Amino acid sequence: MIELTLNGKPLRLDAEGEMPLLWAVRDLAGLTGTKYGCGMALCGACTVHVDGEPVRACQTPLASVAGKTVTTIEGVGATELGRKVQSAWVAADVPQCGYCQSGQVMSAVALLRRIPRPDDSQIDEAMSGNICRCGTYARIRAAIKSVSTQEA
Ligand code: FES
Ligand code: FES
């Protein structure tokens, strides 16, 4: 039995510790906003937060998050910053097919939490692990900048 907090709620899972966190989130918890892309920590589609830090859920064993706080795209909007980033994504009309975007938003929120006013190189570095086949990178940068320039 593995216990964790998922999007603010306690969760007990009867699962093997080696199960990838992504499987637990999607198949056991039923939260399908977090996507499977490469399965090899290369594309960022599966990005969630563990104790506030972005991690690749496809390569994170469930046992390693026991007792920790996991936030997915379904829960990140409960924070003020998460809500601002999601609003900026809508305002900038970022998504094309949308497949990569929950991971993109999770990485962007983590970046802005760490660096409230990132410059271009800091944005590129923080977002470099999130691949978008539709090429929405310019809009992603614009959305991140629109949040970073908002008055607190
Ligand atoms: S599915 Fe996890 S990084 Fe690609
Ligand atoms: S919006 Fe289609 S892969 Fe990024």
Side-chain angles (χ1 to χ4, degrees), residues 94-101 104 131-137 140:
V94 174
Q96 295 287 309
C97 81
Y99 197 84
C100 72
Q101 295 296 330
Q104 303 279 8
I131 308 301
C132 178
R133 289 176 304 176
C134 301
T136 61
Y137 300 112
I140 287 169

Side-chain angles (χ1 to χ4, degrees), residues 64-126:
S64 73
V65 303
K68 297 188 177 178
T69 295
V70 177
T71 305
T72 69
I73 191 68
E74 288 89 350
V76 75
T79 65
E80 186 179 358
L81 180 57
R83 183 181 51 72
K84 280 184 182 176
V85 170
Q86 288 182 325
S87 296
W89 245 242
V90 172
D93 204 12
V94 174
Q96 295 287 309
C97 81
Y99 197 84
C100 72
Q101 295 296 330
S102 51
Q104 303 279 8
V105 165
M106 298 307 284
S107 290
V109 170
L111 163 65
L112 288 162
R113 189 180 290 138
R114 191 165 51 85
I115 307 173
R117 290 176 182 258
D119 60 26
D120 284 354
S121 65
Q122 288 169 323
I123 292 174
D124 289 349
E125 185 185 344

Side-chain angles (χ1 to χ4, degrees), residues 36-39 41-44 46 56 58:
Y36 174 84
C38 63
L42 297 172
C43 75
C46 65
R56 304 301 190 232
C58 68

